[in-house]
Amino acid sequence: MQYRTVHVEASRSYDILIGRGILAGLGDFIRPLLGECRLAVLTDSNVDALYGGTIMEYLHAAGYSACKYVIPAGEASKCAANLLAFLNFLAGEQFTRSDAVIAFGGGVVGDLGGLSASLYLRGVKYVQLPTTLLAAVDSSVGGKTAIDIPAGKNLVGSFYQPSLVCCDTALMDTLPKEIYRDGCAEVIKYGMILDKELYDTLHTLPFDRDAVVARCVGIKRDVVQQDEFDNGVRGLLNFGHTFGHAIEKLSDFGVSHGEAVAKGMVIAAKVAPLCGLCDVADELSALLLRYGFDITCGYSAGEIYNALLSDKKRRGGTISVVLPRTVGDCCLVQLPVEELGCLLEKVI
Ligand code: GLY
């Protein structure tokens, strides 16, 4: 079995394994990390329909006692009710501190599974098995876990690193085109913020999925190792996200995360030259269009500005935005919120 390994040194150190078909080796990968234990597989209805039977077979064949908990697919499942229900399920199954959670799905499952693992008995081990490109390159790595509450997305969560991330890239073959493309926005983001070579390879479609996932995860690893708890350089990963979150919110989440990030990256690239940085907006827009993204903002500058006022990254009168210095090199810039409002009027 061939796979790539990216090692993360954080408050818990772990490997990220990337390769086609590696799910079949899951039992062997987890045994040295988890020992003999019981496993609770958290997954969603879409993943369960396609691969729920397969993963249970692999775990049982490897000698594990494993049970499964399925939540409805979709962001609405990342909620307090499902968190409590899953914690109750673990308690009902009499899971102990030596047992573990397997989060098998996209970002919703990964975030909910990670948060549950961090809370149950004050912390049990967990393994991330991302099934979407977006989860593979972003949410499954770095230990951010969360649920949404009525006041906003990801407002309740923890930093809690997994024991292993095992990314079987063959599972992405069955993703709907739009869901796969969501992940492509994050991949382009990594190229823009820190890796021109990666960015340049993304002009060749389709890209080499395993190599690109490994590269993105390597970039995220380097950032997380410098700033696990998100007090500085980790903010670079938010390129396109400040404006993107505003667009997601304004659309009542009708615009997907990847689409919103693509639009947000273009807005940031247009703001950059107004802050004395170089202008890569046309170059970036051309690449995003090749991937089929609609890069029109869809909202007025005033609407975006008002949505930004409740952004987590706002501190008093300033807000932190990530702007490109050039392709492959972005920086964090603190701007007075009102000044950002004026800049938005000029670019939207
Ligand atoms: N998704 C951004 C981060 O993990 O910091």
Side-chain angles (χ1 to χ4, degrees):
M1 191 179 299
Q2 288 207 327
Y3 57 89
R4 293 168 161 85
T5 303
V6 176
H7 182 70
V8 184
E9 286 286 337
S11 50
R12 172 180 282 139
S13 300
Y14 55 100
D15 284 337
I16 301 159
L17 313 180
I18 301 137
R20 289 188 75 82
I22 62 170
L23 202 61
L26 183 63
D28 292 335
F29 295 135
I30 61 178
R31 202 175 311 281
L33 303 166
L34 306 181
E36 292 310 319
C37 68
R38 296 177 65 216
L39 301 169
V41 177
L42 176 69
T43 191
D44 74 22
S45 47
N46 288 344
V47 176
D48 186 46
L50 290 165
Y51 307 115
T54 310
I55 187 165
M56 297 312 279
E57 269 169 39
Y58 286 153
L59 291 173
H60 291 145
Y64 278 98
S65 160
C67 50
K68 188 173 66 173
Y69 189 87
V70 184
I71 56 172
E75 184 73 26
S77 280
K78 212 171 98 174
C79 61
N82 278 342
L83 174 69
L84 267 185
F86 184 55
L87 293 172
N88 271 317
F89 172 78
L90 295 175
E93 292 286 333
Q94 300 183 326
F95 265 49
T96 68
R97 293 194 73 184
S98 58
D99 298 326
V101 170
I102 307 268
F104 183 41
V108 168
V109 165
D111 281 8
L112 182 65
L115 183 57
S116 306
S118 79
L119 293 173
Y120 186 68
L121 301 179
R122 299 197 178 88
V124 295
K125 289 181 177 171
Y126 79 114
V127 170
Q128 289 273 17
L129 307 181
T131 56
T132 65
L133 180 59
L134 183 61
V137 297
D138 187 23
S139 55
S140 69
V141 177
K144 279 190 183 175
T145 82
I147 54 165
D148 306 332
I149 57 173
K153 259 184 89 165
N154 295 331
L155 290 191
V156 175
S158 60
F159 288 96
Y160 193 64
Q161 303 292 340
S163 295
L164 176 76
V165 181
C166 181
C167 174
D168 184 338
T169 48
L171 304 184
M172 297 174 200
D173 292 348
T174 50
L175 285 176
K177 189 168 94 263
E178 297 73 26
I179 306 284
Y180 190 74
R181 195 176 56 200
D182 268 352
C184 293
E186 293 285 343
V187 167
I188 292 169
K189 175 199 81 176
Y190 283 108
M192 277 297 297
I193 59 174
L194 281 164
D195 192 337
K196 172 148 176 16
E197 202 178 310
L198 167 67
Y199 183 90
D200 289 342
T201 66
L202 299 176
H203 287 85
T204 308
L205 283 170
F207 53 69
D208 176 340
R209 190 186 294 162
D210 287 22
V212 163
V213 170
R215 185 60 206 133
C216 293
V217 161
I219 294 171
K220 182 153 186 185
R221 180 269 316 273
D222 293 346
V223 171
V224 167
Q225 286 186 170
Q226 290 173 64
D227 179 23
E228 179 176 352
F229 299 107
D230 204 6
N231 294 311
V233 71
R234 190 162 176 168
L236 280 179
L237 301 176
N238 288 324
F239 177 50
H241 285 59
T242 305
F243 306 118
H245 285 153
I247 292 168
E248 274 184 285
K249 201 160 114 188
L250 286 166
S251 74
D252 210 9
F253 299 94
V255 176
S256 73
H257 182 70
E259 287 170 322
V261 166
K263 292 172 193 286
M265 288 193 290
V266 172
I267 296 173
K270 287 181 177 169
V271 165
L274 304 179
C275 297
L277 302 168
C278 79
D279 189 348
V280 293
D282 287 346
E283 155 61 42
L284 174 61
S285 300
L287 184 60
L288 291 166
L289 287 170
R290 280 203 63 197
Y291 279 76
F293 286 105
D294 171 1
I295 54 169
T296 53
C297 173
Y299 295 93
S300 70
E303 287 172 310
I304 301 283
Y305 177 73
N306 284 330
L308 285 178
L309 294 178
S310 60
D311 193 282
K312 288 203 290 293
K313 291 171 280 305
R314 186 162 75 90
R315 299 271 183 278
T318 64
I319 189 159
S320 168
V321 286
V322 183
L323 300 179
R325 276 193 280 249
T326 184
V327 170
D329 180 15
C330 284
C331 57
L332 280 156
V333 179
Q334 296 289 335
L335 287 174
V337 184
E338 281 171 16
E339 188 182 326
L340 183 57
C342 296
L343 294 174
L344 287 173
E345 291 289 350
K346 294 184 182 157
V347 302
I348 295 177

